[in-house]
């Protein structure tokens, strides 16, 4: 029979997430992780596997409390176009409030070019966001609130690119008007046009 764990797994994952988020994967050692999580190295490996496995757990924990929770909330309670508008508005608000940026986007920039396994993991998480936007765009095109003359898939990818860009830009220019100005231009691309958007 497996022995019950004698530590708070959620608190340990939060500590590891904070370290990865602040320092990045490459600059975070397993020894530092163990110290932050309050675990010996054998206990860390036994509970979470290697550093890559722990990083993936931390990334999913971050997304579950952020992006995935936001998608579930908006998809279930807003009309499709309003869900997109609110999602982008919340991204701007979060970007201005947290100078660390987005853990997912930071990881995409740091890790994806050098690690094929984690690149695939990060790409799969971004695919979740693209599929959310695709569902919202298709629903908005069906109810007439989003232009039909543009490809739903292209608009979904544009929205993912916008989220990524906002997160990166906010690290350099954390200015509300700069970020909201970019969002306004992207939302204009969703507007039904006189040539047949409705």
């Amino acid at each position: 029979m497996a022995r019950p764990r004698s530590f708070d797994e959620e608190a340990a994952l939060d500590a590891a997430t904070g370290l990865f988020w602040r320092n990045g994967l490459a600059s975070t050692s397993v020894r530092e992780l163990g110290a932050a999580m309050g675990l010996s190295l054998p206990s860390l490996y036994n509970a979470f596997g290697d550093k890559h496995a722990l990083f993936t757990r931390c990334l999913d924990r971050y997304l579950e409390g952020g992006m995935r929770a936001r998608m579930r909330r908006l998809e279930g309670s807003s009309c499709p176009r309003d869900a997109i508008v609110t999602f982008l508005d919340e991204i701007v608000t979060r970007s201005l409030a947290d100078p660390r940026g987005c853990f997912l986007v930071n990881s995409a920039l740091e890790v994806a070019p050098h690690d094929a396994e984690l690149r695939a993991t990060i790409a799969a998480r971004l695919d979740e966001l693209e599929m959310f936007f695709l569902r919202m765009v298709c629903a908005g095109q069906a109810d007439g609130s989003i232009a039909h003359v543009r490809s739903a898939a292209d608009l979904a990818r544009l929205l993912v690119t916008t989220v990524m860009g906002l997160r990166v830009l906010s690290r350099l220019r954390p200015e509300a008007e700069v970020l909201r100005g970019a969002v306004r231009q992207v939302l204009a691309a969703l507007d039904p046009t006189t040539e047949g958007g409705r």
Side-chain angles (χ1 to χ4, degrees), residues 61-73:
R61 181 168 176 78
Y62 168 81
L63 294 175
E64 196 58 37
M67 183 185 83
R68 290 170 178 157
R70 185 179 305 113
M71 291 189 301
R72 287 192 296 268
R73 170 170 50 84

Side-chain angles (χ1 to χ4, degrees), residues 129-139 151-154 156 159:
L129 180 58
E130 183 177 330
M131 290 302 101
F132 163 76
F133 281 136
L134 183 60
R135 292 192 298 274
M136 296 302 94
V137 170
C138 288
S151 159
D154 287 349
L159 290 163

Side-chain angles (χ1 to χ4, degrees), residues 26-158:
S27 297
T28 301
S29 71
V30 177
R31 190 170 302 280
E32 289 171 323
L33 287 165
M37 298 166 77
L39 297 174
S40 67
L41 296 190
S43 295
L44 188 156
Y45 283 116
N46 183 59
F48 299 106
D50 64 13
K51 189 165 82 163
H52 275 56
L54 176 58
F55 182 85
T56 301
R57 285 281 301 275
C58 290
L59 187 60
D60 279 328
R61 181 168 176 78
Y62 168 81
L63 294 175
E64 196 58 37
M67 183 185 83
R68 290 170 178 157
R70 185 179 305 113
M71 291 189 301
R72 287 192 296 268
R73 170 170 50 84
L74 294 175
E75 194 161 6
S77 64
S78 302
C79 74
R81 193 178 194 286
D82 286 349
I84 293 170
V85 171
T86 301
F87 191 102
L88 295 179
D89 182 67
E90 291 182 7
I91 288 293
V92 169
T93 300
R94 286 176 63 92
S95 297
L96 293 170
D98 194 336
R100 294 176 297 176
C102 171
F103 183 30
L104 176 64
V105 174
N106 294 353
S107 300
L109 295 173
E110 180 214 356
V111 176
H114 314 293
D115 188 311
E117 179 185 348
L118 286 177
R119 179 170 61 245
T121 297
I122 292 165
R125 281 26 174 206
L126 286 171
D127 284 346
E128 295 178 36
L129 180 58
E130 183 177 330
M131 290 302 101
F132 163 76
F133 281 136
L134 183 60
R135 292 192 298 274
M136 296 302 94
V137 170
C138 288
Q141 288 179 331
D143 71 16
S145 62
I146 294 176
H148 286 89
V149 294
R150 297 182 177 89
S151 159
D154 287 349
L155 288 173
R157 292 186 192 106
L158 173 64

